[in-house]
Amino acid sequence: MKQGLHPLAMIGLLVAATLFGRVLPTWTLSLATVAASNALIALGIVVLARTGNVSFGQGLFFATGGYGVALIASEWGITDAVVQVIIGAVCGGLLGLVIGPLIARYSGIFFGMLVRENNLRVEYLGISANRIVTINFVIAAIFAGASGAFALMAQRHIDPQFAYWTTSGEFVFVAVLAGYQSVAAVFVASLALELVRSFSNLYLPNTWQLVLGVFLLGVILFLPRGIGSLWVRDKRKRSKPTIEDPITAEKGVAL
Amino acid sequence: MNFFLTIVLDGLIQASWLFIVALGLTLVFGVLKILNIAHGSFYALGAYIAATAVTTVAAHNLPPSVGFVAMLVSVALIASAVGFLLERGLLKMFYGRDEVVLLLVTYAVFLILEDVTKLIWGVNPIYATQPYELFGNVEFAGLYYVGYDLVLIPIAAAIGFTIWFGLNRTIMGKIVLAVIHNEEMSVSMGVRVNRVYALAFAFGVLLASLAGALTAPKISMQPGLSSDVIILSFAIVVIGGLGSVEGAAIGAILVGLARAASVHLMPQAELFMIYLIMAAVLMFRPEGLFKRETARRI
């Protein structure tokens, strides 16, 4: 976040990537589209993860965005890509507004425990922890909704599988692989996943999840802060995460 | 009246095996504080192993009762070994990290087991129906039921009672409860928490796969089994309160009845009904029905 690329450099990279896409074969283009759309959801999960929550439910907003766009677009004949993405984002965001405040109350139950931030301490500072979680949740839902619109455009169809939790699991995988520190890392991670998936489908169709699982364990073990940590240095000194994490260390003195 | 009875009986039959699965999930959460996403995979593993045992026995022209015993024994042995090895070999490495990290580790285990079952048993449906005829058909108030289904209810009740008794009336159980309540204090009192962890996890895996084995004769085993079961068992433990045995029982009965009712009245709303109950319970009791409020840790 703090030591990321200069915004202008980022826009430059984006333009370069878009122009580069013209000379690449088309299969890489559709792969990159899917990867970018998945990365958007994973980005939402990363945003949410900064409050200490991991959501296996982003597929819901993903599907909401996709279905919303599909229904509205076919009803009113909207074909403009930008409008479709906005529709998707609005659909996801609206549902997020409904569900977010509810979920924030039970974040401890739904996502695993709220440990990244100590929410009681946050509240002592006069900030509502629930509100922070809610706002982040809605942001994540908007991203997922927009991504649903992208996925719809890339794949030209949508089915209930979009909302199933194993679909969401893949987005969580991308978020974990990327880590919480860099936005660019999310897109790199998503692209890596799509590449591995394409080649796995070719060479090892029945062991694709096995590869994914082993890879996930490897990342958690050896790269606990994701591939983002390869180029974004944390301000804190590098040491073992068990010692580094103040919350974990604190558990020893609790109650 | 008969219609009502059908729903109740169907619901209880559903509840019986769901209870056994949820019991394992809630026990693992209570002791290790791990929300185990791979729990459904252990259910599927149990079902697949049971299928292999049953078909092997049937191939040797032995009676189905032998198949029934063989499947329970083989599943119990393999599952507890798998659980023990997983805890000692893998989960142990991540203790002390965020609970979210452990959640992700179990998700990785889920992914791996999903493909391991595919590699071992293939992707086509597998059946193990022989023990299903073991207890014949039973007429109950004008309704005909498969005896095997009805037998599941007392089996689940017996398992539930055994766990409750074991936890509340034996020394080992008291030690486990002590670890659930306060791990630090248990360590300082000389409890070998590592051993309790390994045993609890192995036991949780054992329960999930026993439920899988018990339902194996009723269903067809195919990929996707695990991801459906984990959703149901999560709903149950959230309704009942994570870490509570009584809660798992009530949650399983509620979910079982909801499933049975919606199958008979409104099949398309089956999962929705379950979420509705879950949302309703959480509105009024965020901790679930049976979990005592715990003080927030500073």
Side-chain angles (χ1 to χ4, degrees):
Chain A
M1 263 261 293
K2 278 131 205 145
Q3 299 162 20
L5 281 173
H6 193 274
L8 278 180
M10 273 190 166
I11 293 169
L13 273 178
L14 210 64
V15 172
T18 316
L19 291 177
F20 194 54
R22 296 260 161 220
V23 294
L24 286 175
T26 38
W27 67 268
T28 54
L29 209 60
S30 72
L31 189 136
T33 316
V34 174
S37 122
N38 288 351
L40 208 53
I41 310 185
L43 194 59
I45 294 176
V46 169
V47 168
L48 209 52
R50 294 177 83 103
T51 65
N53 296 310
V54 171
S55 165
F56 275 85
Q58 292 314 99
L60 175 64
F61 306 105
F62 182 56
T64 308
Y67 272 112
V69 170
L71 293 178
I72 293 175
S74 60
E75 191 78 7
W76 295 340
I78 297 169
T79 48
D80 190 84
V82 179
V83 179
Q84 285 195 347
V85 171
I86 293 172
I87 292 173
V90 169
C91 289
L94 282 179
L95 191 65
L97 270 180
V98 176
I99 296 179
L102 284 173
I103 296 247
R105 282 179 62 196
Y106 314 120
S107 47
I109 297 161
F110 272 89
F111 300 114
M113 294 296 148
L114 197 66
V115 281
R116 188 155 303 280
E117 299 290 333
N118 184 326
N119 52 353
L120 189 56
R121 190 189 287 163
V122 171
E123 275 170 17
Y124 277 161
L125 295 172
I127 308 161
S128 160
N130 280 0
R131 227 176 88 197
I132 297 174
V133 174
T134 307
I135 290 170
N136 281 331
F137 194 86
V138 173
I139 293 173
I142 290 173
F143 281 164
S147 165
F150 278 125
L152 184 67
M153 279 181 240
Q155 299 176 3
R156 302 198 176 279
H157 80 283
I158 179 162
D159 58 80
Q161 187 67 31
F162 273 51
Y164 201 57
W165 76 266
T166 46
T167 311
S168 310
E170 282 183 11
F171 308 138
V172 173
F173 177 88
V174 172
V176 174
L177 179 58
Y180 309 132
Q181 288 150 336
S182 159
V183 174
V186 179
F187 286 85
V188 174
S190 181
L191 198 60
L193 177 73
E194 283 308 312
L195 279 174
V196 176
R197 188 212 302 276
S198 312
F199 288 109
S200 297
N201 279 345
L202 271 183
Y203 300 113
L204 12 118
N206 273 341
T207 49
W208 145 247
Q209 286 178 307
L210 184 77
V211 174
L212 213 63
V214 172
F215 202 55
L216 185 59
L217 283 181
V219 171
I220 297 171
L221 256 187
F222 301 114
L223 218 57
R225 286 177 299 125
I227 54 172
S229 65
L230 291 179
W231 63 84
V232 180
R233 287 290 150 126
D234 209 3
K235 274 195 301 183
R236 290 175 290 193
K237 238 181 85 180
R238 280 190 154 214
S239 57
K240 278 198 166 175
T242 40
I243 303 163
E244 187 181 66
D245 194 339
I247 307 299
T248 322
E250 224 168 64
K251 274 182 190 152
V253 287
L255 282 180
Chain B
M1 188 56 210
N2 252 357
F3 187 62
F4 180 71
L5 191 68
T6 314
I7 291 178
V8 170
L9 268 181
D10 279 359
L12 285 180
I13 292 166
Q14 290 276 347
S16 59
W17 67 268
L18 284 172
F19 168 65
I20 305 174
V21 182
L23 203 55
L25 189 66
T26 215
L27 185 74
V28 167
F29 181 83
V31 177
L32 291 92
K33 306 287 177 291
I34 296 175
L35 205 50
N36 186 7
I37 293 186
H39 200 66
S41 313
F42 300 128
Y43 167 88
L45 194 68
Y48 273 111
I49 295 171
T52 304
V54 166
T55 42
T56 313
V57 166
H60 286 80
N61 286 324
L62 292 163
S65 54
V66 178
F68 185 67
V69 175
M71 82 179 186
L72 291 184
V73 172
S74 57
V75 165
L77 289 178
I78 299 175
S80 29
V82 166
F84 188 81
L85 290 177
L86 257 181
E87 199 278 340
R88 286 292 89 185
L90 183 73
L91 296 180
K92 198 181 74 172
M93 293 197 273
F94 302 93
Y95 291 156
R97 304 263 295 264
D98 274 4
E99 272 137 6
V100 168
V101 169
L102 275 159
L103 183 98
L104 293 169
V105 169
T106 62
Y107 174 58
V109 172
F110 159 80
L111 288 173
I112 293 170
L113 285 180
E114 198 72 356
D115 273 358
V116 167
T117 47
K118 271 187 216 162
L119 285 176
I120 299 178
W121 286 281
V123 290
N124 296 319
I126 294 179
Y127 300 91
T129 50
Q130 288 85 349
Y132 201 43
E133 286 112 44
L134 204 54
F135 301 98
N137 291 326
V138 181
E139 196 200 331
F140 191 85
L143 301 167
Y144 286 92
Y145 270 90
V146 179
Y148 188 90
D149 283 341
L150 293 179
V151 167
L152 286 183
I153 300 175
I155 289 180
I159 289 179
F161 178 76
T162 311
I163 303 275
W164 177 86
F165 187 86
L167 277 180
N168 294 293
R169 295 284 184 274
T170 65
I171 299 288
M172 188 60 214
K174 297 272 185 201
I175 292 174
V176 173
L177 285 182
V179 174
I180 290 176
H181 283 300
N182 196 328
E183 188 201 315
E184 308 280 327
M185 196 55 89
S186 319
V187 174
S188 59
M189 294 301 224
V191 173
R192 296 191 185 181
V193 172
N194 281 345
R195 194 175 288 178
V196 174
Y197 275 12
L199 282 178
F201 192 79
F203 205 69
V205 173
L206 173 69
L207 285 174
S209 22
L210 268 188
L214 286 171
T215 40
K218 289 155 55 76
I219 56 173
S220 70
M221 273 65 80
Q222 53 196 342
L225 195 59
S226 49
S227 43
D228 288 338
V229 168
I230 190 62
I231 294 293
L232 290 173
S233 46
F234 268 160
I236 291 170
V237 295
V238 168
I239 289 172
L242 274 164
S244 153
V245 175
E246 303 92 317
I250 298 296
I253 290 173
L254 280 177
V255 167
L257 287 178
R259 276 191 95 186
S262 44
V263 163
H264 284 289
L265 301 170
M266 219 183 145
Q268 67 272 33
E270 190 195 324
L271 262 182
F272 182 73
M273 279 293 286
I274 293 167
Y275 289 134
L276 204 65
I277 295 178
M278 200 165 109
V281 168
L282 290 181
M283 282 288 204
F284 300 104
R285 282 193 63 92
E287 301 275 318
L289 288 175
F290 275 87
K291 199 180 179 189
R292 264 175 253 114
E293 290 268 342
T294 47
R296 288 212 279 183
R297 296 186 170 194
I298 303 168

